[in-house]
Amino acid sequence: MSSHPGVCGSDSDDRVARRGGGRKDDPATMVAKAAALLDGLRAADAPTRMHSLRCIKNAVIGSKSKKAAFLSAGALPLVLGLLTREADTELLVQSAVTLGSLSYGTPVGLQALLAESGISVLVTMLQHDDLKVVQAAIRALKLVYSQPGSHVPHEPVLHPDVLLRAVSLLRDASQPDGAEAAAVVLASCCCSGEEQVLLTDAGAATAAVALLASPRQPLQAAALRLLARLLPGNGAARDAALAAPSTLELLMGLLRDAVPATRFAAAACLTHLAAAAAAERRDGASSSGGGSG
């Protein structure tokens, strides 16, 4: 009998419990089952590791109780270890997806990721030769950085090489999910004037403006939120926004978007652009008045 096939059967057990034909596992039992499945990640053969990894991924997505059980059983450092050791592309992709899910939606998972220097591992994967691995890594980082109230360090993303790579993903409209994820990550790392300058110098403002015309609403909205973070008090970002002739028209159109957050971000962008223009006019008038005396 194989050591790994049946361990994914916990979903059917849950269905039986929901129909009243069985009792849902208590936390200790769930942790024990999770630990048994994690043993597959230590297997010598890649197919067993892949099977266990997929079972873990499928179990934790959308289930806080199972996620807590796997975290208690030590899943996060084991999955993170696969990202640093494996050479197989599909194993790396599945590891990044699972890591993002384990760290999302639970303070315990996020703190475990930070304690294991997981951010540094994920940003390293952005430099991988295989685009599938890169896309999986940026989507995992999106889950990490988009958690409200989290205090995830910005420095790993703002490293010059990583920042340029993230902006290149933002520019790649042929991979809209990756571009959206890059926009979310970059916006989350733009919280000060210094960070605004770093992102603008790397080309983030120009790339965000180009995505305002995207037909994909999630990508358009993410780019808009990034631009709203970049514009306040940032002349270079303002110039990048106004360099595209359609920017103002697109922003005006987004004021009528069905999503309130999108309308708010569009209004914020227009307000910052108008304030900057007004300040320029005042400065020009002052200079002219001073010169006439």
Side-chain angles (χ1 to χ4, degrees), residues 26-44:
D26 59 74
T29 301
M30 292 180 70
V31 172
K33 287 185 175 182
L37 185 53
L38 289 173
D39 283 340
L41 300 183
R42 303 182 180 93

Side-chain angles (χ1 to χ4, degrees), residues 110-163:
L110 181 59
Q111 290 305 313
L113 181 75
L114 296 177
E116 297 287 338
S117 300
I119 302 293
S120 296
V121 175
L122 285 170
V123 298
T124 298
M125 301 312 296
L126 294 180
Q127 307 293 348
H128 197 275
D129 293 335
D130 195 299
L131 184 59
K132 291 181 181 178
V133 176
V134 175
Q135 292 289 313
I138 193 66
R139 290 195 299 269
L141 286 167
K142 172 191 171 184
L143 292 177
V144 172
Y145 278 94
S146 63
Q147 300 189 60
S150 62
H151 299 286
V152 184
H154 299 174
E155 291 80 8
V157 173
L158 297 177
H159 183 279
D161 292 340
V162 177
L163 182 54

Side-chain angles (χ1 to χ4, degrees), residues 1-146:
M1 180 177 176
S2 172
S3 61
H4 60 73
V7 291
C8 286
S10 57
D11 286 340
S12 62
D13 293 342
D14 284 349
R15 287 193 294 269
V16 171
R18 286 194 294 269
R19 290 196 302 266
R23 182 176 59 85
K24 186 176 179 180
D25 289 337
D26 59 74
T29 301
M30 292 180 70
V31 172
K33 287 185 175 182
L37 185 53
L38 289 173
D39 283 340
L41 300 183
R42 303 182 180 93
D45 60 301
T48 298
R49 297 197 299 277
M50 177 64 81
H51 177 87
S52 296
L53 190 57
R54 282 178 169 156
C55 287
I56 295 166
K57 180 194 71 174
N58 293 337
V60 301
I61 291 177
S63 174
K64 289 187 177 181
S65 59
K66 289 181 181 178
K67 189 177 296 186
F70 277 99
L71 288 168
S72 296
L76 196 140
L78 283 173
V79 175
L80 192 59
L82 293 179
L83 270 179
T84 61
R85 295 192 309 271
E86 293 289 350
D88 180 79
T89 295
E90 189 57 29
L91 269 169
L92 289 172
V93 169
Q94 295 295 325
S95 297
V97 172
T98 306
L99 193 64
S101 182
L102 283 169
S103 60
Y104 182 73
T106 164
V108 174
L110 181 59
Q111 290 305 313
L113 181 75
L114 296 177
E116 297 287 338
S117 300
I119 302 293
S120 296
V121 175
L122 285 170
V123 298
T124 298
M125 301 312 296
L126 294 180
Q127 307 293 348
H128 197 275
D129 293 335
D130 195 299
L131 184 59
K132 291 181 181 178
V133 176
V134 175
Q135 292 289 313
I138 193 66
R139 290 195 299 269
L141 286 167
K142 172 191 171 184
L143 292 177
V144 172
Y145 278 94
S146 63

